[in-house]
Amino acid sequence: MNPSRPQPSRLLGAPLALLLLATVAGAGPSRQLPKVLCIGFDGMDPQLLDHFRADGSMPNFDALIARGDYRNLGTAIPPQSPVAWSNFITGMDPGGHGIFDFIHRNPATLTPYLSAAQAMEPQRWWKVGPWKIPRDEGHVENLRDGVAFWQLLDRAGVDATVFKVPANFPPVECEAHTLSGMGTPDILGTYGIYSYFTEDLAEEVEMSGGRHVPVAVRDGRVWGELVGPVNSYRAGDPESRLPFEAVVDREHGSALFDVDGERFLLEQGEWSDWVTLRFRLVPALKTVRGVCRFYLKEVSPTFKLYVTPVNLDPAAPEMPISTPADWSRELAAALGPFYTQGLPDDTKALEEGAFDDDDYVSQSTLVFEEREQQLRHELDRFAAQKDGFLFFYFNSPDQTCHTFWRNMDHDSPRHDAEAERHEQRIRDVYRNCDRALGLALEHVDDETLVLVLSDHGFAPYHRSFHVNRWLLDRGYLVLQPGVEARDVTYLSGIDWNRTRAYAIGINGLYLNLRSREAGGIVDPGAEREALLQELVAALEATTDPVTGQRAVKYAYRTDEVYHGPHAAEAPDIVLGYHRGFRGSNESALGEVPDATFADNMMKWSGDHCMAADEVPGIIISSRRIDKADPTLLDLAPTFLSLFGIAPLPEMVGSPLFTGGR
């Protein structure tokens, strides 16, 4: 281990496991190790894959399947990406790794928070005039518990590379080459805040995913500001800002930009290369660097400019995004700047009107092409090795199915004339994935084990179920006197002295349990058991009055499906929906809408936060799979066993192959 390399703040449960591993793994120089290539296509669905294979769109998938095996892959409960990939990483279910949903809640305060990671600012400061000087260091903490399989590979001497796997920010401590993926924030510490500058607005509008900013073209020039990180070195913690200007040529449909000393010309509909931004927080002492791309959406008749979220600069990241710490710098030196933001396809810009479908296709194509270039770079290195492990991740199937399901689904409430223009977009993305797989197959020999997998599949999302409204109407949730349902946000305004159950997160339902929640009233013994049985039966019998269909396929009791030390912190019930239904965004944020069901009128029209057996993933292997009914929990034990390493006792799954390497 390199003692000079900065270390992440914690690695839960790892020291003892790694110490034990050192006594059993012992990969010596005489041991013959295999080569394993694993490609993760987030959200790739078996039904869609079969459909596109049938029309001849997936020749490289066909070739790999002909060599080996193809199965459905059991996903997580619930089938949310951070939960599913945490299962993949640790070989444990949420009771072991502690990630239950995108959103968790603090039972002591009943306030929600993002589940994957948290940042801690310095707690002590010296104050000098308008400036503050930190007396201790802040840090970023990965909230996923357990040991990642690549840590065990690394300790055993296996050359391992894990490229952008989700649920690994900040990356856990190891010497393997890892780059963090889903969960990695932008420079503001959010999941991605874009900027949209337009003459169509009279005043600035703050959206959930971006800033819509009014601008005016005067004497052929336009000015704007890009928002950077909070300047915690100044009293009051003001936002840092960086101005830019552009000379606009409406006649020729172009604009010449000047951004932090860098000048570039864009035609209407054109993307810039990556632009490096320098937010100078303390003159000559502290500068934070970020990177972004400009998209000149329109010049005439109306000036419209989109700017990506300001990403952490991989050449000088302000937060840890790779192991070793300098690996992101090496990648940037070889490939140039790239998206470090965990989910780069800007679905929020599409939902909030900064993008139309054409714009989104343009941006998501850039993301895929960048990732494909990175794949080629890693494959070139991998091909030169005699042994080792490479995992490489693509997010595009997931993000495109979320936002473009309506385009191919004529039954979607959001299918319209605009949607028909890109009716084949999902097929196009699957074809791109097939091309990437073909690139991989060109780089490996017949002795290399190739695995292709997805964390879950996909389904239509036509109707929203407002869980907290359902609880309110049945008396399980009670509001404070004088509080209207529409005024409840983030569980505020709830009468905890009379509330027995509440929902927070996309799939989670909690009891207001005495000795756990701060204002808990439900006894954890017989009363809890009776209430759970009552809720499970009632939820699974709930019918949508418009469609006549049952919404909840399974109300999973987590005390029956989760195992491990974090099971007691989990939701008491995880809602598994039938295809077509999903928990609403409003209930996920602790709100109480006016009705129990509603049409989903978002462009976010496909989803997977449903019953696990409704949205299985895929697994394809160049070798016959021996285990019946494989699941994500089996992958970590499989990778370890392939390299002669015993899986950890807490791993729930078992290897896919019984014949060793």
Side-chain angles (χ1 to χ4, degrees):
M1 183 174 296
N2 182 355
S4 67
R5 181 165 57 84
Q7 305 298 316
S9 57
R10 73 166 182 172
L11 178 60
L12 291 178
L16 177 59
L18 294 179
L19 180 62
L20 290 173
L21 175 68
T23 68
V24 299
S30 63
R31 189 171 123 209
Q32 184 177 358
L33 298 176
K35 287 185 76 171
V36 179
L37 169 63
C38 181
I39 301 178
F41 291 110
D42 200 307
M44 184 165 278
D45 178 72
Q47 293 186 40
L48 289 177
L49 179 60
D50 291 346
H51 178 68
F52 299 144
R53 286 182 64 209
D55 69 17
S57 296
M58 312 295 286
N60 293 300
F61 275 81
D62 289 341
L64 182 59
I65 291 168
R67 285 175 53 190
D69 211 344
Y70 168 33
R71 308 274 192 88
N72 283 3
L73 184 66
T75 185
I77 298 174
Q80 296 185 27
S81 291
V83 184
W85 287 110
S86 294
N87 283 19
F88 167 81
I89 288 167
T90 66
M92 299 189 293
D93 65 41
H97 57 65
I99 304 297
F100 316 113
D101 199 290
F102 276 101
I103 300 172
H104 288 183
R105 67 38 174 142
N106 182 337
T109 61
L110 291 169
T111 54
Y113 63 91
L114 294 174
S115 63
Q118 65 179 0
M120 301 296 293
E121 293 287 339
Q123 301 300 301
R124 299 182 302 158
W125 303 81
W126 283 296
K127 294 184 178 180
V128 183
W131 300 99
K132 300 186 300 176
I133 302 173
R135 298 172 61 186
D136 54 27
E137 292 187 5
H139 67 277
V140 186
E141 187 175 16
N142 188 327
L143 299 180
R144 174 179 49 75
D145 205 348
V147 182
F149 68 81
W150 60 84
Q151 292 177 287
L152 306 179
L153 295 177
D154 174 51
R155 182 57 64 96
V158 177
D159 186 307
T161 297
V162 177
F163 199 98
K164 280 191 170 285
V165 71
N168 188 43
F169 174 80
V172 292
E173 178 183 357
C174 65
E175 293 295 328
H177 286 84
T178 73
L179 186 68
S180 61
M182 183 188 303
T184 306
D186 64 2
I187 204 170
L188 303 179
T190 75
Y191 283 164
I193 299 295
Y194 66 86
S195 298
Y196 180 54
F197 302 91
T198 175
E199 291 182 281
D200 283 342
L201 287 176
E203 59 184 28
E204 184 168 332
V205 180
E206 294 286 342
M207 313 290 278
S208 65
R211 302 164 53 245
H212 290 211
V213 183
V215 292
V217 178
R218 294 191 175 92
D219 298 324
R221 293 180 179 269
V222 66
W223 293 266
E225 286 185 320
L226 300 173
V227 175
V230 166
N231 189 349
S232 55
Y233 296 89
R234 289 193 69 93
D237 298 335
E239 290 179 333
S240 58
R241 290 178 175 260
L242 194 64
F244 71 87
E245 67 173 281
V247 178
V248 179
D249 185 344
R250 293 199 197 268
E251 181 181 355
H252 296 96
S254 64
L256 178 64
F257 289 85
D258 190 336
V259 185
D260 200 18
E262 185 171 344
R263 302 184 77 194
F264 53 91
L265 178 69
L266 293 181
E267 304 292 332
Q268 182 168 291
E270 186 179 5
W271 286 86
S272 74
D273 293 332
W274 286 101
V275 179
T276 300
L277 308 177
R278 297 165 182 84
F279 295 93
R280 298 162 180 85
L281 305 187
V282 182
L285 292 177
K286 180 61 178 178
T287 297
V288 174
R289 282 174 40 171
V291 294
C292 66
R293 296 184 76 163
F294 285 64
Y295 172 57
L296 188 56
K297 179 180 170 74
E298 185 177 305
V299 173
S300 179
T302 305
F303 182 85
K304 297 176 182 178
L305 172 70
Y306 164 90
V307 183
T308 66
V310 181
N311 281 231
L312 298 171
D313 183 354
E318 188 65 18
M319 290 180 266
I321 61 171
S322 72
T323 62
D326 60 358
W327 190 46
S328 69
R329 299 182 182 93
E330 293 177 14
L331 289 170
L335 300 168
F338 54 85
Y339 278 103
T340 54
Q341 175 193 344
L343 287 175
D345 297 54
D346 204 337
T347 61
K348 286 290 189 179
L350 177 66
E351 199 69 64
E352 295 168 356
F355 279 170
D356 59 23
D357 283 6
D358 290 343
D359 300 324
Y360 181 85
V361 168
S362 172
Q363 192 256 344
S364 64
T365 298
L366 288 177
V367 172
F368 193 93
E369 290 174 347
E370 179 182 274
R371 193 64 55 85
E372 203 170 17
Q373 179 193 25
Q374 294 165 337
L375 174 63
R376 183 182 296 277
H377 179 268
E378 290 308 305
L379 287 170
D380 287 342
R381 188 187 67 83
F382 186 65
Q385 298 174 208
K386 292 183 178 180
D387 53 57
F389 175 87
L390 171 60
F391 171 85
F392 198 94
Y393 169 84
F394 285 89
N395 68 283
S396 294
D398 177 88
Q399 298 294 277
T400 300
C401 281
H402 275 308
T403 51
F404 277 66
W405 193 278
R406 64 195 158 84
N407 299 63
M408 68 175 185
D409 179 6
H410 290 245
D411 294 326
S412 169
R414 195 58 196 268
H415 185 79
D416 54 22
E418 181 192 12
E420 291 177 358
R421 281 179 38 78
H422 292 286
E423 190 164 352
Q424 302 303 320
R425 178 57 184 169
I426 292 175
R427 175 187 271 107
D428 292 343
V429 168
Y430 271 62
R431 285 174 171 163
N432 291 341
C433 293
D434 185 79
R435 186 180 70 227
L437 177 59
L439 176 64
L441 295 178
E442 291 172 1
H443 279 75
V444 298
D445 58 27
D446 291 341
E447 298 302 313
T448 300
L449 174 63
V450 180
L451 294 169
V452 174
L453 59 86
S454 65
D455 55 329
H456 53 70
F458 252 86
Y461 170 21
H462 293 167
R463 297 279 285 169
S464 292
F465 180 49
H466 299 307
V467 189
N468 279 320
R469 184 74 215 191
W470 184 92
L471 292 169
L472 177 69
D473 290 343
R474 286 155 182 78
Y476 297 111
L477 184 147
V478 180
L479 304 182
Q480 295 172 359
V483 173
E484 297 290 333
R486 62 178 176 271
D487 296 327
V488 176
T489 59
Y490 300 116
L491 300 176
S492 66
I494 292 175
D495 186 343
W496 297 108
N497 293 320
R498 295 187 291 162
T499 289
R500 293 182 291 159
Y502 62 98
I504 193 77
I506 299 174
N507 294 86
L509 187 153
Y510 295 83
L511 304 186
N512 188 23
L513 204 61
R514 184 178 292 119
S515 77
R516 187 182 67 183
E517 273 75 3
I521 63 170
V522 177
D523 185 82
E527 185 180 3
R528 168 188 173 275
E529 179 61 29
L531 181 56
L532 278 174
Q533 292 184 22
E534 181 180 325
L535 283 167
V536 167
L539 285 162
E540 291 183 353
T542 297
T543 300
D544 181 349
V546 171
T547 68
Q549 298 172 316
R550 287 173 50 222
V552 179
K553 188 174 186 179
Y554 308 117
Y556 302 99
R557 288 182 51 157
T558 56
D559 59 2
E560 296 176 351
V561 297
Y562 288 172
H563 313 81
H566 293 285
E569 305 161 17
D572 297 282
I573 292 173
V574 168
L575 298 175
Y577 295 95
H578 284 280
R579 290 175 71 89
F581 292 90
R582 202 205 78 171
S584 69
N585 288 343
E586 291 87 347
S587 277
L589 297 175
E591 298 176 11
V592 184
D594 292 333
T596 303
F597 290 93
D599 274 341
N600 172 27
M601 297 306 298
M602 299 185 295
K603 290 189 174 183
W604 188 280
S605 50
D607 215 282
H608 46 83
C609 299
M610 299 163 184
D613 61 5
E614 295 276 24
V615 285
I618 64 157
I619 184 163
I620 301 170
S621 170
S622 61
R623 171 178 164 186
R624 185 72 183 171
I625 295 171
D626 299 315
K627 182 172 183 180
D629 302 321
T631 77
L632 282 166
L633 294 168
D634 299 323
L635 271 300
T638 296
F639 297 144
L640 295 175
S641 66
L642 287 168
F643 288 91
I645 304 167
L648 298 179
E650 60 266 30
M651 290 182 172
V652 177
S654 58
L656 299 178
F657 309 108
T658 58
R661 301 172 204 163

